[in-house]
Amino acid sequence: MRSIWKGSIAFGLVNVPVKLYSATEDHDVHLHQVHDKDGGRIRYQRRCEICGKVVDYEHIDKAYADEDRTVVLTEDDLSSLPEERSREIDVVEFVPSDQLDPIMFDRSYFLEPDSKSAKAYVLLRKTLEKTDRTAIVHFSLRQKSRLGALRTRGDVLMLQSLLWDDEVREANFASLDERVRISAKELKMSASLVDSFAADFAPDRFTDDYQEQLQQLIDAKLAEGDALDTAATFGETEDDGESGGEVIDLMDALRRSIDKGRRTPSDRAGEKEGDTKDAKAGASKTSTKKTASKKSTSKKSTSKKREATKSAPRKAASSTAKSAAKKAAGKKATPRKATPAKERKSA
């Protein structure tokens, strides 16, 4: 990992030099836009609306528009702000860890001690562990003043940026004001459903199915060399029924959910693995059939083109025929044997 920021944690007279690293990464399959006719890459240009020229990043400043007026802010202007120049993670207060609402958490970062002696770093980490408190801090990163939570994760100190209070919306829904009557029997059945799914959280048991299927589709297209039908790659699925505003019996749904939930996590994982193997086997068979079909179609198309070429008159060719011949020459076709000079003269 490469550090993205260097500074220090400061509280009271204690100063802890640290390096900042991104704690998370994106594993999504990244796609870009292309022209549907020829596959050409679609790119966006940074074009000035006044002079019409494409502008390089080094000549781009930031601006704030206030109705009819615009204020341009240069890099020098932004770097002159005191908060931007600050390289300190300033501890404001220590709060009980359970008082932080998870909705406020934004980005996560690891902090590595940046000095020969890590004593101050370890002391701060063990103090937070013993007191079960989280440090609320101010820091500046990427031209923004941020609020953060400094806590422990194993043997490392972790900094999590927090949303400001006015960035969290209020959930004002009129439907929540309606009075709903829940019977004791319904509540008991619902609690039984929760118990049937109860387990210790293990993040490594969960994967991004969509990204796996997307990568599988891309690999199949690369192996095939042509477009594939998505249904043929992953197996056709049929809807169990039409979606609509059907009213269901709550108790019946809870009973069925409990019965379904009594399967252990390992059983569900085994079923999922079996479904994945079946899908891959089906995709492999379909790919083989499509390859054979395409080769047969290609041979038939080449034969028809040869017959049409032999039957067409060689003289009095119009300009339209010449244009068609040029297009045909650009396509891949089986090369014809060269005609000997004597035969061309006799013809």
Side-chain angles (χ1 to χ4, degrees):
M1 290 190 295
R2 178 180 297 178
S3 63
I4 60 175
W5 184 90
K6 288 185 179 182
S8 60
I9 304 171
F11 62 103
L13 299 177
V14 180
N15 189 279
V16 185
V18 291
K19 294 179 182 179
L20 189 76
Y21 300 84
S22 293
T24 59
E25 57 186 353
D26 182 11
H27 284 164
D28 287 353
V29 178
H30 297 284
L31 307 175
H32 55 255
Q33 296 178 329
V34 296
H35 190 190
D36 59 353
K37 292 185 178 180
D38 54 23
R41 181 77 177 268
I42 303 297
R43 297 184 183 274
Y44 294 98
Q45 294 180 323
R46 301 173 298 277
R47 190 177 298 276
C48 177
E49 294 183 355
I50 296 179
C51 66
K53 295 181 179 180
V54 177
V55 182
D56 295 330
Y57 274 118
E58 60 182 359
H59 297 297
I60 294 179
D61 285 332
K62 296 181 180 180
Y64 173 78
D66 182 11
E67 296 181 355
D68 297 333
R69 299 177 300 174
T70 298
V71 178
V72 178
L73 300 173
T74 66
E75 288 295 329
D76 293 337
D77 293 333
L78 295 174
S79 61
S80 66
L81 297 175
E83 287 293 335
E84 171 58 21
R85 293 199 311 268
S86 175
R87 288 286 173 175
E88 284 190 349
I89 301 174
D90 187 20
V91 176
V92 179
E93 58 187 6
F94 294 92
V95 301
S97 298
D98 58 2
Q99 288 186 0
L100 286 172
D101 189 345
I103 196 175
M104 297 185 67
F105 291 130
D106 191 11
R107 299 295 301 273
S108 300
Y109 304 94
F110 290 137
L111 294 177
E112 178 193 14
D114 188 24
S115 64
K116 293 182 179 180
S117 175
K119 185 174 182 178
Y121 181 95
V122 175
L123 176 61
L124 176 58
R125 174 174 58 81
K126 289 189 173 183
T127 302
L128 292 176
E129 289 176 349
K130 185 176 181 179
T131 58
D132 192 21
R133 287 185 176 263
T134 297
I136 302 300
V137 300
H138 276 148
F139 67 104
S140 179
L141 181 65
R142 296 192 177 112
Q143 297 182 346
K144 280 188 178 181
S145 178
R146 303 172 189 265
L147 184 68
L150 183 65
R151 64 182 185 85
T152 63
R153 187 177 188 270
D155 292 335
V156 69
L157 286 174
M158 169 170 281
L159 176 63
Q160 289 183 281
S161 59
L162 301 176
L163 299 175
W164 298 98
D165 183 63
D166 57 359
E167 292 180 321
V168 180
R169 294 177 174 177
E170 292 291 336
N172 295 323
F173 303 120
S175 58
L176 297 178
D177 296 332
E178 297 181 10
R179 290 187 177 182
V180 180
R181 183 178 179 182
I182 302 295
S183 67
K185 191 174 182 180
E186 289 173 333
L187 188 59
K188 184 178 180 180
M189 290 291 293
S190 181
S192 298
L193 173 60
V194 173
D195 290 339
S196 67
F197 279 90
D200 292 328
F201 180 58
D204 57 345
R205 290 196 292 111
F206 302 93
T207 57
D208 190 342
D209 294 337
Y210 174 79
Q211 294 299 324
E212 288 184 354
Q213 293 172 1
L214 178 59
Q215 188 62 57
Q216 182 183 348
L217 175 62
I218 293 172
D219 293 341
K221 280 181 171 289
L222 291 174
E224 184 68 17
D226 203 347
L228 291 176
D229 184 10
T230 304
T233 304
F234 300 113
E236 296 181 357
T237 57
E238 297 181 357
D239 293 334
D240 295 333
E242 296 182 358
S243 59
E246 182 183 1
V247 179
I248 62 173
D249 181 69
L250 179 60
M251 294 296 291
D252 182 59
L254 287 172
R255 288 193 188 96
R256 286 188 280 109
S257 298
I258 291 173
D259 293 338
K260 185 177 180 181
R262 284 179 182 164
R263 294 173 299 163
T264 63
S266 59
D267 293 337
R268 290 193 291 269
E271 292 178 4
K272 181 178 177 182
E273 183 179 357
D275 294 340
T276 303
K277 290 181 178 178
D278 292 341
K280 289 183 178 179
S284 177
K285 291 180 180 179
T286 304
S287 176
T288 304
K289 290 180 180 179
K290 282 194 169 187
T291 304
S293 176
K294 286 179 180 178
K295 289 181 178 179
S296 177
T297 304
S298 177
K299 289 180 179 179
K300 290 180 180 180
S301 176
T302 304
S303 178
K304 288 181 180 180
K305 288 180 181 179
R306 288 179 178 174
E307 292 177 2
T309 304
K310 290 180 180 180
S311 60
R314 296 183 178 179
K315 295 182 179 181
S318 63
S319 59
T320 304
K322 289 181 179 179
S323 176
K326 289 180 180 180
K327 291 181 179 179
K331 298 180 179 179
K332 292 183 179 179
T334 306
R336 299 178 60 185
K337 294 182 178 180
T339 306
K342 291 182 179 180
E343 292 182 11
R344 288 199 300 267
K345 288 181 180 179
S346 61

